[in-house]
Amino acid sequence: QLQLVESGGGLVQPGGSVRLSCVASGLSLDYFVIGWFRQAPGKEREGVACISSAGSTNYADSVKGRFTISRDNDKNTMYLEMNSLKPEDTADYYCAADAVTTVEHMCASSHHDYWGQGTQVTVSS
């Protein structure tokens, strides 16, 4: 059984940067397609960024050029680097993993095998 734990969220000023981390345990992330999702109050859950075991990535248009997803298999951890943050980025952020999928299908769906508990990011002055 794979367990995922997010950390790194908090209060950030507009234009600032935050790095979210997701630590996996129980199984190796080597065998999973992984991604970050977010849900703002009153909005649908949105796929933000996804990455395959080979390094292929997929980003939502709203974050492309500002966010970067990465994975460190030696540490069994994935990251989301968020730069040039906007108030619209305020949301609960979740990491997720699927054993068999593509990065395109991963980011297009909100139904996945494993989820973390979430971490809150608030962008405000």
Side-chain angles (χ1 to χ4, degrees), residues 6-28:
E6 302 97 333
S7 63
L11 178 63
V12 192
Q13 293 186 342
S17 299
V18 169
R19 186 176 78 162
L20 304 182
S21 299
C22 178
V23 179
S25 60
L27 297 171
S28 174

Side-chain angles (χ1 to χ4, degrees), residues 5-120:
V5 179
E6 302 97 333
S7 63
L11 178 63
V12 192
Q13 293 186 342
S17 299
V18 169
R19 186 176 78 162
L20 304 182
S21 299
C22 178
V23 179
S25 60
L27 297 171
S28 174
L29 284 178
D30 270 338
Y31 306 104
F32 294 90
V33 178
I34 54 178
W36 288 93
F37 297 76
R38 69 184 182 186
Q39 187 166 18
K43 292 188 176 181
E44 299 290 321
R45 183 167 294 187
E46 173 190 21
V48 176
C50 298
I51 186 168
S52 73
S53 59
S56 298
T57 58
N58 182 271
Y59 293 93
D61 289 339
S62 59
V63 307
K64 193 172 298 182
R66 299 189 298 121
F67 292 9
T68 302
I69 187 172
S70 62
R71 60 193 299 166
D72 187 336
N73 290 327
D74 290 336
K75 297 181 178 180
N76 218 27
T77 302
M78 58 173 155
Y79 306 94
L80 183 67
E81 296 277 358
M82 302 188 294
N83 301 312
S84 301
L85 284 165
K86 306 174 181 179
E88 305 91 85
D89 296 318
T90 296
D92 290 329
Y93 284 75
Y94 302 86
C95 59
D98 272 339
V100 180
T101 190
T102 64
V103 291
E104 291 81 11
H105 283 97
M106 181 89 183
C107 271
S109 175
S110 295
H111 303 282
H112 302 297
D113 295 335
Y114 301 99
W115 289 94
Q117 84 289 347
T119 185
Q120 184 181 16

